[in-house]
Amino acid sequence: MVDVGLANLRTAGSQKAFAVLTSGGDGQGMNAAVRAVTRMGLYVGAKVYLIYEGYEGLVEGGENIKKANWLSVSNIIQLGGTVIGSARCKAFMTREGRLLAAHNLVQHGITNLCVIGGDGSLTGANIFRTEWSGLLQDLVAQGKISQDVARKYSHLNIVGLVGSIDNDFCGTDMTIGTDSALHRIMEVIDAITTTAQSHQRTFVLEVMGRHCGYLALVSALAAGADWLFIPEAPPEEGWEDAMCARLGESRSGGSRLNIVIIAEGAIDRNGKPITSKYVKDLVVTRLGVDTRVTVLGHVQRGGTPSAFDRVLSSKMGVEAVIALLEATPDTPACVVSLSGNQAVRLPLMECVQMTKEVQKAMDEKRFAEAVQLRGRSFENNWNIYKLLAHHKPSQTKTRYSLAVLNVGAPAAGMNAAVRSAVRIGLSQGHTVYMVNDGFEGLANGQIKTAQWRDVAGWTGQGGSLLGTKRTLPNTFLPKIVDNIRKYNIQGLLVVGGFEAYEGVLQLVEARAHYDELCMVMCVIPATISNNVPGIDISLGCDTAVNAAMESCDRIKQSASGTKRRVFVVETMGGYCGYLTTMAAIAVGADAAYVFEDPFSIRDLKANVEHLTEKMKTEIQRGLVLRNEKSHEHYTTEFINNLYSSEGKGIFDCRMNVLGHLQQGGAPTAFDRNYGTKLGVKAVFWITDQFRENYRQGRVFANSPESACVIGLRKKAVLFSPVTEIKNETDFEHRMPKEQWWLKLRLIMKMLAHYKISFENYDTGKIEHVTRRTLSIDKGY
């Protein structure tokens, strides 16, 4: 690998030619990746070619290989599928086909190829790379190219981006299209739930995924499904009796519906397929319940990409170009992937080999090993689903008690976290209290003992079903202490935003005055602003970014029949610009104003000039986002008026304030899953703290480590003491002093065609894919 020098990136690609193709099954987000690769390639000064119809177009050449310019990939980020087409190509599987492909690339001077596809497509790319020098010598022997040409283009660099809704590629946390497919599945499940409740039906839902159960597993976890079939973990012998008994028990407990989710590759212990029809007939015969089958099919591949997939694809596309620039003849073909929230580069064939190991383990009926090879996150999802799906009363009652409450503004995913925390607490044998209306409710005694069924159906509901308020505990500390003593509360799980963190910090600082506050405390950050220190991603952010993105998509579409119009859109987030920045990347905004990236009137003027130039092209509309507190004086109305005045005669302006629609709606699959897992991890951590701090007949926890914020930091879920992260906090503006996502603004500005420096960009590091690395839990 060579260091291209990020400060000089704009000239690093001169004299080089890049090409990008999509192959195999399509996935939402592929267009965002094509856009990012194309624009980053042009940014570094290279020629960029789009190869249409995948490997078929590469073999056939001609009009299938077209030189791209900046506008070639305009207005495609919001589109599903792949605008450059995808086709499975038998010819490329032969050496003769690859010889034609090599000739077509050499004719265009292309020696850097980015392939977006699944494991088959990427394996084919690696074979092509390995044979490259031999293919060129064959072309020389056939007289199609000269020896000088063969020497000039002697090496082919390959970088892969995994595009597959199945998320079946080992080493990658999330593949392009997976999150969007989960969006489609959750939309269907939410819709089916309402009709199933009306008629007291059981629904059997079949989802895609081939031989990988990821979509089925995360859907079941996010929907609270009653039973789940995945190919990696076939049910035990006699599962028919167990399933019907559980469904019947659920009905006896008052449930009006049952959801059974089945992966299309589901099998029993003997390798025999388990079909949705068989499951349906079984339920009807054994239980006499009205049961329907819904096979989601290719609905899961369609529709607009989610915000996660758009941002993921944009990050990976930029990283792919840098990886190609840094590649040498000795660099193995790599896959650009996501690890936690960091871009990494993985040796392609290590990933492919490990992926094959999963299938081999399944074929040899080593199912426990197959689950482990899918990665620690997959294994954790499976274990958590088994814990939460069915009530298994604890054999012994512990001496510990735990209270759960919501604090701050509502955020999607809060209810999922509360549900999992309550159920895990009960399964551990603890007494679990649910507190209404935050710290105020704790002071006023709005406390009730939780039961398993109290939180049934909570996962998919938005807002806060417990009720939440922003009031901090210092307002009525003595009353809170009285109720902690009265109910013998030894642990506090607070799900909320900056107020939740600040409130727990106040309780910790009051320990010197009240022994009752020497208890275990944990904060699960849940806020659309993503402004809680100590973590990278808060619960609720993903849903809010998607809400803002969908609104901006509609706003942009409204101008499709109107020439030369610029929209100025205000987003929420307080002083934190995370929501604005992520939405800007997801919708391809022309500018995004945030408090953390100071701007002046000169910057505003430069943006107006930038949009003026844009209006001279065939894309005659613009989108500008502004965080609600990005500047004291340059308000949304001011910016709208400035743009209107300066752009008069060139474009007109419209202003939109998105407001509280960003806080509403059903949680995304990501927030449901993330909230569920954080709730489980938090209660397990609290349980460990109970045991460590139990002395003289009570829990006495007064160390800094006994009051923490849980959350994803870079590549892992960590517990950070609130007293330690106090130094990382800007209390005046209610946010962390350092913001990891600010470096993503480089990508946003580059994709919007601004001349910027990548000097502060963090390039992905090469990581190897082994059983040990797969065992690391990334939190998703």
Side-chain angles (χ1 to χ4, degrees):
M1 190 172 80
V2 295
D3 183 5
V4 298
L6 294 175
N8 303 313
L9 206 56
R10 298 214 65 180
T11 57
S14 58
Q15 311 304 313
K16 294 180 183 287
F18 292 69
V20 57
L21 64 84
T22 52
S23 176
D26 65 313
Q28 310 95 317
M30 282 185 167
N31 289 325
V34 169
R35 173 179 177 266
V37 170
T38 301
R39 291 192 167 178
M40 188 63 181
L42 294 171
Y43 170 86
V44 301
K47 294 178 183 176
V48 180
Y49 293 87
L50 301 176
I51 299 175
Y52 289 77
E53 312 307 336
Y55 284 124
E56 188 175 290
L58 186 58
V59 170
E60 293 181 0
E63 286 298 304
N64 289 309
I65 303 177
K66 296 180 182 178
K67 191 175 180 181
N69 59 40
W70 198 268
L71 297 180
S72 300
V73 289
S74 288
N75 205 32
I76 67 169
I77 193 170
Q78 77 278 10
L79 302 178
T82 164
V83 295
I84 59 175
S86 177
R88 290 181 169 86
C89 179
K90 290 184 178 179
F92 191 75
M93 297 178 186
T94 66
R95 186 175 174 86
E96 292 75 16
R98 293 192 290 273
L99 192 66
L100 291 171
H103 189 219
N104 288 328
L105 288 184
V106 168
Q107 283 182 312
H108 291 89
I110 299 167
T111 55
N112 296 279
L113 184 62
C114 178
V115 177
I116 307 169
D119 57 344
S121 302
L122 299 180
T123 302
N126 190 63
I127 293 170
F128 189 38
R129 174 184 177 274
T130 305
E131 293 180 348
W132 181 258
S133 58
L135 293 171
L136 294 195
Q137 290 309 311
D138 287 355
L139 291 173
V140 171
Q142 293 174 13
K144 292 185 177 179
I145 63 172
S146 67
Q147 193 65 54
D148 287 343
V149 169
R151 276 194 293 270
K152 184 177 180 182
Y153 304 117
S154 61
H155 181 70
L156 177 68
N157 297 316
I158 295 284
V159 167
L161 303 182
V162 189
S164 166
I165 69 167
D166 303 333
N167 203 30
D168 59 351
F169 200 73
C170 281
T172 60
D173 283 359
M174 289 285 272
T175 56
I176 295 170
T178 302
D179 187 68
S180 300
L182 288 169
H183 273 244
R184 299 296 94 78
I185 295 168
M186 297 319 302
E187 287 164 7
V188 170
I189 290 176
D190 287 348
I192 277 176
T193 298
T194 57
T195 183
Q197 283 179 327
S198 300
H199 298 278
Q200 300 191 56
R201 286 182 175 139
T202 292
F203 269 86
V204 180
L205 271 75
E206 182 180 309
V207 302
M208 295 175 80
R210 293 191 302 172
H211 304 295
C212 178
Y214 183 86
L215 289 179
L217 175 54
V218 175
S219 301
L221 195 60
D226 297 280
W227 197 270
L228 167 67
F229 297 94
I230 57 173
E232 294 88 348
E236 300 291 341
E237 295 292 338
W239 63 267
E240 291 94 340
D241 294 334
M243 183 190 75
C244 290
R246 184 180 298 181
L247 297 183
E249 186 181 315
S250 172
R251 291 295 176 123
S252 301
S255 177
R256 291 181 59 86
L257 79 157
N258 295 118
I259 300 288
V260 177
I261 294 180
I262 180 168
E264 62 180 348
I267 53 174
D268 64 17
R269 288 270 158 183
N270 300 311
K272 179 184 175 184
I274 298 175
T275 65
S276 49
K277 183 180 183 303
Y278 177 73
V279 174
K280 175 211 165 185
D281 292 343
L282 188 68
V283 175
V284 171
T285 303
R286 298 272 189 97
L287 300 177
V289 175
D290 188 7
T291 305
R292 304 296 168 91
V293 171
T294 299
V295 179
L296 270 63
H298 284 75
V299 164
Q300 295 156 91
R301 282 196 193 280
T304 186
S306 67
F308 185 98
D309 271 328
R310 298 189 200 187
V311 175
L312 170 70
S313 300
S314 299
K315 287 164 65 177
M316 288 167 62
V318 168
E319 183 64 31
V321 171
I322 296 176
L324 286 169
L325 288 173
E326 293 182 341
T328 68
D330 299 323
T331 307
C334 75
V335 172
V336 174
S337 174
L338 183 73
S339 179
N341 62 8
Q342 308 285 300
V344 294
R345 304 175 195 175
L346 308 172
L348 170 59
M349 292 318 294
E350 287 183 14
C351 297
V352 170
Q353 186 56 43
M354 199 59 72
T355 303
K356 289 179 179 176
E357 287 292 321
V358 181
Q359 189 59 51
K360 184 180 177 184
M362 290 164 61
D363 292 341
E364 296 174 359
K365 300 180 182 178
R366 293 180 282 117
F367 297 114
E369 188 178 344
V371 170
Q372 291 174 348
L373 287 170
R374 284 287 184 215
R376 184 67 179 277
S377 293
F378 186 98
E379 185 180 7
N380 276 356
N381 281 337
W382 174 236
N383 291 332
I384 290 170
Y385 171 75
K386 289 187 291 184
L387 282 172
L388 296 176
H390 181 55
H391 186 197
K392 295 173 278 295
S394 175
Q395 298 300 312
T396 57
K397 188 77 174 170
T398 71
R399 57 175 72 93
Y400 307 123
S401 59
L402 166 70
V404 184
L405 62 154
N406 293 161
V407 175
M414 276 183 163
N415 298 321
V418 171
R419 169 186 175 267
S420 65
V422 166
R423 289 193 166 181
I424 291 298
L426 293 173
S427 70
Q428 294 281 299
H430 306 331
T431 299
V432 181
Y433 298 109
M434 296 197 301
V435 182
N436 299 118
D437 296 338
F439 289 121
E440 193 172 317
L442 186 59
N444 295 332
Q446 295 171 248
I447 303 166
K448 72 167 188 173
T449 305
Q451 304 297 328
W452 186 273
R453 288 214 54 79
D454 289 343
V455 290
W458 279 34
T459 312
Q461 297 198 49
S464 166
L465 294 174
L466 278 182
T468 181
K469 291 193 175 181
R470 296 177 182 268
T471 322
L472 294 173
N474 275 354
T475 313
F476 22 60
L477 207 49
K479 292 175 69 177
I480 287 177
V481 170
D482 286 344
N483 280 318
I484 289 173
R485 187 188 307 114
K486 176 181 176 181
Y487 288 91
N488 191 30
I489 295 170
Q490 297 153 320
L492 208 59
L493 178 60
V494 186
V495 184
F498 194 87
E499 293 89 351
Y501 155 69
E502 194 173 5
V504 167
L505 188 58
Q506 287 182 3
L507 294 178
V508 170
E509 290 173 344
R511 280 174 168 175
H513 305 289
Y514 300 99
D515 270 3
E516 291 84 356
L517 297 179
C518 292
M519 59 180 175
V520 181
M521 292 179 260
C522 184
V523 178
I524 295 179
T527 166
I528 70 167
S529 303
N530 199 33
N531 63 339
V532 178
I535 53 99
D536 290 348
I537 299 172
S538 292
L539 203 51
C541 289
D542 188 67
T543 304
V545 172
N546 275 280
M549 177 199 75
E550 289 164 7
S551 298
C552 289
D553 280 348
R554 292 188 177 98
I555 287 166
K556 284 172 65 179
Q557 191 178 43
S558 73
S560 59
T562 308
K563 296 296 182 183
R564 298 180 179 174
R565 175 163 289 173
V566 173
F567 292 95
V568 180
V569 178
E570 181 185 297
T571 64
M572 296 176 76
Y575 284 99
C576 182
Y578 176 87
L579 178 57
T580 308
T581 298
M582 290 301 174
I585 296 172
V587 298
D590 296 285
Y593 302 117
V594 299
F595 177 79
E596 298 92 337
D597 191 359
F599 58 97
S600 66
I601 194 70
R602 286 187 296 275
D603 297 311
L604 294 174
K605 186 173 183 293
N607 293 150
V608 171
E609 291 168 355
H610 180 83
L611 282 165
T612 300
E613 289 300 309
K614 183 180 180 180
M615 295 300 161
K616 296 176 183 177
T617 70
E618 60 197 69
I619 307 298
Q620 297 183 342
R621 63 178 178 272
L623 180 67
V624 174
L625 270 59
R626 178 189 175 273
N627 168 254
E628 60 184 348
K629 293 188 177 180
S630 58
H631 199 286
E632 182 182 1
H633 303 296
Y634 301 149
T635 63
T636 305
E637 187 175 1
F638 175 89
I639 291 174
N640 180 66
N641 291 338
L642 177 70
Y643 272 59
S644 297
S645 177
E646 293 296 314
K648 195 170 185 179
I650 303 168
F651 57 80
D652 64 357
C653 281
R654 295 290 186 274
M655 184 177 80
N656 294 268
V657 178
L658 299 184
H660 284 76
L661 69 82
Q662 295 157 92
Q663 279 186 338
T668 58
F670 181 96
D671 276 331
R672 298 183 201 199
N673 186 28
Y674 191 41
T676 298
K677 293 172 83 169
L678 288 182
V680 171
K681 287 174 185 286
V683 173
F684 280 146
W685 176 83
I686 289 171
T687 302
D688 289 340
Q689 290 292 314
F690 281 158
R691 292 172 182 145
E692 288 177 22
N693 293 283
Y694 188 80
R695 55 181 75 100
Q696 297 178 349
R698 61 160 290 192
V699 171
F700 188 83
N702 63 349
S703 68
E705 292 74 22
S706 63
C708 288
V709 173
I710 178 180
L712 184 72
R713 294 195 86 164
K714 292 188 176 179
K715 297 181 182 180
V717 172
L718 302 175
F719 290 87
S720 305
V722 293
T723 51
E724 288 183 14
I725 58 178
K726 182 178 179 180
N727 295 328
E728 303 174 18
T729 309
D730 175 356
F731 284 96
E732 181 186 353
H733 299 106
R734 296 161 47 82
M735 64 183 187
K737 292 176 182 176
E738 302 278 329
Q739 301 275 28
W740 67 271
W741 50 264
L742 278 172
K743 292 182 179 179
L744 295 181
R745 291 180 61 79
L746 298 173
I747 295 174
M748 182 205 78
K749 292 176 181 178
M750 184 281 294
L751 293 173
H753 214 179
Y754 286 91
K755 296 176 182 178
I756 53 139
S757 169
F758 262 71
E759 196 168 358
N760 294 321
Y761 177 78
D762 288 333
T763 58
K765 302 293 184 282
I766 292 178
E767 295 185 1
H768 291 279
V769 182
T770 64
R771 288 176 183 251
R772 189 192 67 79
T773 60
L774 290 175
S775 70
I776 299 170
D777 184 14
K778 308 294 175 52
Y780 288 143

